[in-house]
Amino acid sequence: MIRTSSEAFRLAQPFVIARGARTHATVVTVEITRDGITGRGECTPYPRYGESVESVSELIASLPDGISRDALQDALPAGAARNAVDCALWDWESQAQDRPVWALAGLEAPKALETAYTLSLGTSEEMHRAAVAAAERPLLKVKLGGGAEDVERIRAVRDGAPASRLIIDANEGWSIAEYETLAPVFLELGVVMVEQPLPAGQDAALAEANRPLPVCADEAAHDVTGLLALMGKYDMINIKLDKTGGLTHALALKERATAAGFRVMVGCMMGSSLAMAPAALVAQGAEIVDLDAPLLLAEDRDPPMHYTGSTLQPPPAALWGGGAR
C-alpha cells in the first residue's frame, strides 16, 4: 500500500529568496507498507518546476502498490514525486533486510558533514544582522536578488561574518553582463562560488564567458540526461534529490558528473530531517554540502537529524534507512 499526506513544518523565521517568501516547509510524505513493514520518504513540490502538492500526490497515486525501485525509474519522471517514493522504497528495503541503506547501496558508512548555513534575502541591514548571528558558522550561503544592491548585501554579510567562507545563490536573477561585472568584486570579498546566476535555458553565454568565479548549475541541473548540455557552461552541479527523482538517480548522477569533471555540491529544498537523511548519503565526499533545512525549522521529525553547529551527523537509524526498527 502507498499512502501520501501533506505536512507543513513551521520555519523559525520567514525565508526569502528572489521568487518570494515562505513561513512553512510544505512537504508530501509517502509511506509504503508491505509485509507489515512501512518505509517512509519525503519530497518538496517546487512550483518553479511545475509541481504542487496536488500534482505530486496524483502522480504517486498512479503507481501500482507493488512497484519496485527499478520499475519506478521509468514509471515516473525525475522530480519530487519519484523522490519520495524512491526513498520510501529504500527505507522499506533497509528494514526488510535489516541492513542500512548505505550498505544496500554499496557505500561506505556515512560520516559527519559540514553544511552551509543559508541567509535569506533581505536588505543590507537585515542581512548584516543575520550574518552577525551566524558568524561562527564556517560556510554561509547567501541568497541574492539581482541588481546593484547585491554588492552591498555581500559587503554587509562579509562585515558581519569576516571569517566565514561565502557562496552565493542568484536564483537565475542575473544577466551575463551582471556576472562579468560582479564576479571580480565578489572574489575580492571572499566569495568562492555562485549558484545559477543566469536563468536555466538562457545560459548559453556562460560557455563563452571567462568564469573567474566558479558557477554551479542548480535549476539547470536535474538528471543524467541533462549533463551534456551543462558541459562548458558550469564548473559545478548542485544535486538535489527532489530534482533527480530520488536517491537511486542521485547516486548515478553524482558518479557520472564526477567522471565528466564537474565539481559536486549536494543541496536540498526546504524540508524536514526525513528528506535530509538520504541526501546525507549522496553528500559524502561532496565539495560543498548544503543540507541545512532543519536548522531553519521551528519544528521537525522525531527523531530529527542532529546538528552540532554546522556539523551534520549521520542519519539516526530510527529516522530513515537504518535497518529493522
Side-chain angles (χ1 to χ4, degrees), residues 16-274:
V16 184
I17 65 172
R19 297 189 187 96
R22 68 182 74 177
T23 58
H24 290 76
T26 301
V27 307
V28 173
T29 304
V30 169
E31 294 184 333
I32 296 178
T33 301
R34 298 173 186 169
D35 302 325
I37 297 171
T38 299
R40 298 189 305 162
E42 176 187 305
C43 68
T44 301
Y46 197 35
R48 168 66 179 81
Y49 305 136
E51 297 173 336
S52 66
V53 168
E54 293 74 21
S55 68
V56 163
S57 299
E58 288 174 5
L59 280 174
I60 296 169
S62 72
L63 297 171
D65 280 342
I67 194 165
S68 66
R69 276 195 296 109
D70 286 343
L72 175 67
Q73 308 310 310
D74 294 324
L76 291 182
R82 193 174 78 188
N83 175 33
V85 178
D86 184 74
C87 290
L89 287 170
W90 276 107
D91 188 37
W92 183 90
E93 186 176 346
S94 170
Q95 295 178 68
Q97 296 192 27
D98 194 15
R99 298 178 65 201
V101 167
W102 60 263
L104 293 175
L107 305 173
E108 296 182 358
K111 300 177 181 178
L113 300 165
E114 179 187 284
T115 181
Y117 181 81
T118 305
L119 303 185
S120 68
L121 180 65
T123 65
S124 299
E125 293 77 12
E126 290 168 340
M127 296 182 79
H128 178 267
R129 289 194 293 271
V132 170
E136 297 303 314
R137 298 186 182 275
L139 178 62
L140 298 179
K141 175 176 172 175
V142 185
K143 292 287 189 178
L144 297 179
E149 193 176 350
D150 277 352
V151 173
E152 296 311 311
R153 291 181 175 113
I154 292 299
R155 291 190 192 280
V157 169
R158 172 50 73 211
D159 181 63
S164 301
R165 294 168 60 229
L166 302 180
I167 56 177
I168 56 179
D169 188 355
N171 280 121
E172 305 180 276
W174 294 358
S175 66
I176 190 62
E178 285 177 299
Y179 170 81
E180 291 173 338
T181 299
L182 294 173
V185 178
F186 288 156
L187 283 169
E188 291 182 3
L189 292 169
V191 175
V192 298
M193 181 271 282
V194 57
E195 273 187 81
Q196 201 65 51
L198 274 62
Q202 301 175 39
D203 53 3
L206 287 171
E208 306 298 326
N210 177 29
R211 299 193 300 272
L213 179 62
V215 179
C216 179
D218 184 4
E219 286 84 353
H222 289 259
D223 57 16
V224 166
T225 62
L227 267 182
L228 183 61
L230 305 180
M231 299 290 291
K233 294 189 290 188
Y234 294 93
D235 308 291
M236 176 178 284
I237 67 167
N238 187 349
I239 299 174
K240 295 178 179 175
L241 273 66
D242 275 318
K243 295 188 300 176
T244 67
L247 175 62
T248 302
H249 198 92
L251 291 171
L253 177 58
K254 181 183 178 184
E255 181 178 0
R256 292 280 290 276
T258 301
F262 288 103
R263 297 155 60 188
V264 171
M265 173 181 183
V266 174
C268 63
M269 302 301 187
M270 189 64 75
S272 80
S273 284
L274 181 57

